[in-house]
């Protein structure tokens, strides 16, 4: 299915080199430049996109065991506090400060593939060290606390390595995927990864909860299998076309050459990028103020079993899976910015829905599943369009550096949000977790305001979309009214003809 979908997308591409329009916000002139910068055959791109999709599937198995609900439940079983859970979520974002360093190092290599293989390979192998600690764990509370600290150290080390490679990988994908089809392709790629998450997370959670040796031993088995899956995902990257960051871009023939080749140090002069960065920073702070604590709320406050929580996570993944391709096609049609604004409002008020949940049957079997399904559908649009929009606002020549700068700044704000959420969750003066959820909803709505002023290529304005939607609705009503009138006119002679036919039939019967 993935292969057919990728082939269908590539059938709509032009013969390479693929072209796109780069627009300088400071100038009115536009220029057409190659993207990707190197001449790559369509067959090679097709193979690369397939391999990248399979890579994401196996990488999802790895990330499912080393992040999210399974790792959170593992630490809770060891007696971790909400502050430590907050640090667990903030570490991957805080180390994003190292992404500019990673972009600097990656841009001075000659291979995106080998740089990523070294960084991510070591990062995934480090999780095997945690298995050694779990094998030596005893029953004392002190040893459990030491294992919590050891887990946080491993998370810190692996997150640092991942931060050093993220910008390079993001730039690698931006060089291979045509701009006009990014929404559709990443929608399909993320759908495949979400489908795997939909399957493996409940299976892993069930296996951990029913393992005879206990949940700690069960998690160690799951972690070992996940590391193997992570190494398999790296093996599929050998089938992706490598990109040399040192390869020069073709010479540009307009004034916009300055925009694509300007030094990375001038990023703070790019007003459009700074506006988008302001939105993303505020959004990350507001989201991470509450997002890491939804699972904690279900496990600790509502005292739900981990298997039930993973089932809710599967509902989120299922809704995410169904909507990703839809949002991807819509993003290619109307742009990413309108979707982020409209769907962002829905995602902003989502924390308020948690205020009506409890440990009763109505919440367990109706309200909580609906909240997770709603979250999965909205966040499919948010995650997809945020990534695509970063590719749109970054200059072609300095993509890796711009991605790293954005990740570094938003990582800090996201970590600040998580850390602040951890302390506010323990404070009774702010209402605990319910008060934290309400505060997060308000800040999310505020964070959407800078997005209104961000400019995106090939993006339609909200005013135009509103006029088109209003006009389409009015047209539908008018057509419906005409059809009703036409139907009424056509149906009027029917009873008259029926009466005449009845009279004729009675006269003939009498004769």
């Amino acid at each position: 299915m993935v292969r057919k979908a990728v082939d269908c997308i590539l059938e709509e591409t032009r013969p390479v080199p693929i072209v796109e329009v780069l627009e300088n916000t400071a100038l009115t002139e536009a220029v057409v430049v190659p993207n990707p910068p190197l001449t790559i055959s369509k067959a090679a791109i097709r193979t690369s996109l397939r391999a990248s999709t399979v890579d994401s599937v196996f990488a999802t198995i790895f990330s499912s065991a080393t992040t999210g609900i399974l790792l959170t439940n593992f630490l809770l079983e060891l007696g971790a506090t909400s502050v430590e859970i907050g640090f667990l979520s903030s570490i991957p974002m805080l180390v994003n400060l190292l992404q500019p360093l990673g972009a600097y190092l990656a841009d001075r290599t000659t291979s995106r593939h080998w740089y990523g293989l070294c960084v991510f390979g070591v990062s995934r192998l480090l999780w095997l060290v945690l298995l050694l600690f779990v094998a030596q764990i005893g029953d004392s509370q002190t040893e459990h606390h030491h294992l919590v600290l050891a887990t946080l150290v491993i998370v810190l080390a692996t997150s640092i390595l991942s931060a050093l490679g993220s910008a390079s990988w993001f730039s690698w994908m931006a060089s291979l995927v045509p701009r006009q089809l990014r929404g559709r392709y990443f929608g399909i790629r993320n759908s495949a990864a979400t489908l795997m998450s939909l399957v493996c997370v409940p299976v892993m959670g069930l296996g951990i909860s029913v393992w005879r040796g206990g949940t700690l031993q069960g998690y160690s088995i799951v972690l070992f299998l996940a590391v193997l899956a992570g190494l398999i995902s790296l093996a599929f990257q050998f089938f992706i076309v490598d990109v040399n960051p040192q390869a020069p871009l073709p010479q540009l023939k307009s004034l916009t050459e300055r925009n694509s080749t300007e030094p990375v140090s001038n990023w703070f002069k790019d007003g459009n990028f700074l506006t988008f960065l302001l939105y993303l920073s505020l959004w990350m702070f507001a989201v991470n103020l509450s997002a890491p604590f939804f699972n904690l709320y279900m496990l600790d406050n509502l005292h739900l079993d981990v298997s039930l929580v993973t089932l809710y996570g599967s509902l989120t993944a299922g809704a995410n899976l169904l909507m990703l391709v839809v949002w991807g096609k819509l993003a290619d049609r109307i742009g990413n910015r309108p979707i982020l604004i409209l769907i962002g409002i829905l995602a902003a008020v989502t924390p308020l829905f948690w205020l009506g949940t409890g440990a009763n049957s109505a919440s367990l079997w109706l309200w909580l599943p609906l909240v997770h399904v709603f979250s999965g559908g909205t966040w499919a649009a948010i995650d997809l369009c945020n990534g695509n929009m970063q590719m749109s606002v970054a200059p072609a020549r300095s993509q890796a550096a711009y991605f790293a700068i954005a990740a570094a700044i938003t990582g800090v704000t996201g970590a600040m949000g998580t850390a602040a959420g951890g302390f506010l969750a323990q404070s009774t003066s702010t209402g605990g977790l319910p008060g934290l959820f309400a505060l997060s909803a308000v800040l999310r709505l505020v964070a959407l305001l800078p997005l209104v002023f961000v400019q995106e290529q090939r993006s339609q304005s909200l005013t135009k979309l509103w006029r088109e939607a209003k006009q389409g609705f009015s047209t539908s009503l008018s057509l419906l009214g005409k059809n009703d009138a036409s139907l009424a006119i056509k149906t009027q002679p029917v009873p008259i003809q029926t009466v005449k036919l009845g009279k004729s039939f009675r006269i003939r019967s009498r004769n």
Side-chain angles (χ1 to χ4, degrees), residues 166-231:
S166 294
S168 177
W169 179 90
F170 206 34
S171 180
W172 189 12
M173 291 297 101
S175 300
L176 295 178
V177 183
R179 176 188 291 271
Q180 66 272 24
L181 297 177
R182 283 173 182 168
R184 292 186 60 187
Y185 171 69
F186 285 112
I188 293 175
R189 185 182 187 274
N190 294 349
S191 294
T194 303
L195 178 60
M196 178 55 64
S197 176
L198 180 65
V199 174
C200 71
V201 171
V203 172
M204 290 178 178
L206 181 62
I208 292 173
S209 60
V210 303
W211 189 261
R212 293 183 178 180
T215 56
L216 298 183
Q217 186 179 11
Y219 178 77
S220 64
I221 300 299
V222 168
L223 180 60
F224 176 74
L225 297 176
V227 172
L228 291 181
L231 297 178

Side-chain angles (χ1 to χ4, degrees), residues 38 40 48 110-114 172 176 237 240-245:
L38 302 178
I40 305 174
S48 299
T110 57
S111 172
R112 295 287 188 198
H113 172 228
W114 286 106
W172 189 12
L176 295 178
Q237 293 185 3
I240 302 177
V241 174
D242 197 4
V243 173
N244 181 6

Side-chain angles (χ1 to χ4, degrees), residues 470-491:
K470 186 177 180 180
Q471 182 179 2
F473 182 73
S474 301
T475 304
S476 300
L477 289 179
S478 62
L479 291 176
L480 182 61
K482 292 180 179 179
N483 291 337
D484 292 341
S486 176
L487 181 62
I489 294 174
K490 291 181 180 179
T491 54

Side-chain angles (χ1 to χ4, degrees), residues 2 4 35 61 131 151 159 195 229 278 295 447 467 493 495 510:
V2 173
K4 291 181 180 179
N35 181 37
I61 301 176
L131 298 179
T151 304
S159 298
L195 178 60
L278 176 61
N295 289 333
R467 286 199 302 263
R510 292 174 183 176

